[in-house]
Amino acid sequence: MNIITTDQLKTILENEDPIVIDARGGTDALERYNHAHLENAQFVDLETDLSEKTGDPSNGGRHPLPEPNDFGRFLGILGISPSSTVVVYDDKKGANAAARFWWMLKAAGHEKVFVVSGGLDAISEAGIDLTEKAASLHALEEYPIKGWQMPLVDADDVALAAADPEAMVIDVREHYRYLGESEPIDLVAGHIPGAVNIPYTSNLDGNGEFMSPADLAAKYKEAFADKDPRKVIVHCGSGVTACHTLLALAEAGLHGASLYVGSWSEWSRTDRPIATGEE
């Protein structure tokens, strides 16, 4: 289990002593956290804590991963040890920084980390009290990480997979961005030739919460058409919402898909080919 409901969250909060993480992105992330968050939830910033930006998005994209050792030191500051139960949410239905934090913690080798389905909205609607009070840190030693333990690929791997009939490259961005109708963030509109579009929002039901594991399994087994999940690569704009789909795949029991962290923000800034429309 990787995704929990607000009822399951209540049970964990009542019966365990979890490390609760409020992960957010954007220039006003801390301001939003300060306005309302779960009691004792520690703030994590997508831009500075979950990324190590180079200043050159053509090399690693807009949200490149930090070095594993740097992330291990940060986890120690948060008070997370290998035995910790960790609960993470964001204010984007789990689609943004929470999914990225989940992927990174799993890639660090951590076992017990859960994303709250529906995020802060669902938590508030469930009547769970929110606060403006900042959490106190109880730092530990550096978390031991021996490299990223979830599969990662680079642009060359993506190009090969996109041309391989036994492989699949999934672009999880909104359909209009995939088509190249407009591009609100990166410099060039379009998509990686050969990639298929399965927007991350299709992982959610009408209430903005994750579909059931069975429904997610049925959806992606049909999409994969007997392809081995280990030959699937997932990307987005900058390696963040792609983690939402990797989370959905894990919940569906389909393991082994790779993350292309650089994603469109890297690919579109190189001299690699670009497709538009339904090509």
Side-chain angles (χ1 to χ4, degrees):
M1 180 175 65
N2 298 279
I3 300 168
I4 58 172
T5 65
T6 52
D7 284 342
Q8 290 170 316
L9 170 64
K10 290 177 183 178
T11 299
I12 291 174
L13 293 175
E14 290 170 1
N15 298 296
E16 300 188 43
D17 186 23
I19 305 293
V20 181
I21 301 297
D22 182 308
R24 310 201 192 199
T27 56
D28 63 341
L30 181 57
E31 180 182 345
R32 301 197 317 271
Y33 165 84
N34 286 334
H35 178 70
H37 54 267
L38 266 178
E39 186 174 1
N40 296 321
Q42 300 188 55
F43 173 68
V44 169
D45 193 322
L46 168 67
E47 311 298 331
T48 57
D49 299 325
L50 305 183
S51 309
E52 190 167 309
K53 299 185 179 183
T54 64
D56 180 13
S58 68
N59 180 21
R62 287 184 279 105
H63 291 103
L65 289 169
E67 290 298 318
N69 287 344
D70 292 338
F71 186 56
R73 282 189 288 272
F74 177 61
L75 292 178
I77 291 169
L78 294 174
I80 296 175
S81 72
S83 63
S84 298
T85 297
V86 181
V87 172
V88 58
Y89 68 89
D90 60 28
D91 58 355
K92 305 293 183 188
K93 311 273 185 201
N96 197 264
R100 170 75 168 229
F101 185 85
W102 168 87
W103 186 94
M104 291 174 66
L105 197 50
K106 281 292 187 182
H110 197 81
E111 292 186 10
K112 295 186 69 176
V113 52
F114 308 107
V115 176
V116 181
S117 183
L120 188 65
D121 288 347
I123 291 169
S124 178
E125 290 167 7
I128 301 174
D129 290 340
L130 302 179
T131 183
E132 297 179 0
K133 182 180 178 182
S136 298
L137 291 175
H138 301 284
L140 302 175
E141 296 179 356
E142 178 179 336
Y143 191 109
I145 301 178
K146 297 180 179 178
W148 300 117
Q149 297 175 38
M150 297 271 271
L152 290 163
V153 295
D154 61 20
D156 290 337
D157 297 321
V158 174
L160 290 172
D164 182 353
E166 295 185 0
M168 174 180 283
V169 177
I170 299 176
D171 182 333
V172 311
R173 296 174 302 156
E174 297 89 340
H175 194 52
Y176 78 89
R177 292 180 70 187
Y178 171 85
L179 293 175
E181 293 175 349
S182 66
E183 176 49 56
I185 304 174
D186 292 307
L187 304 179
V188 181
H191 62 266
I192 297 171
V196 300
N197 186 220
I198 308 177
Y200 73 88
T201 52
S202 67
N203 298 324
L204 305 175
D205 62 21
N207 296 320
E209 299 192 23
F210 278 90
M211 295 163 56
S212 71
D215 287 343
L216 288 169
K219 162 192 163 81
Y220 282 105
K221 284 178 180 177
E222 180 180 2
F224 289 0
D226 296 326
K227 291 183 176 66
D228 187 333
R230 292 172 294 181
K231 290 198 170 187
V232 173
I233 295 171
V234 183
H235 82 88
C236 54
S238 66
V240 179
T241 54
C243 296
H244 187 277
T245 288
L246 290 167
L247 171 58
L249 290 173
E251 192 71 355
L254 300 171
H255 301 285
S258 299
L259 171 63
Y260 172 33
V261 176
S263 287
W264 184 247
S265 59
E266 178 183 69
W267 184 282
S268 63
R269 286 172 167 83
T270 66
D271 59 357
R272 295 179 181 273
I274 290 173
T276 57
E278 297 288 359
E279 298 178 49

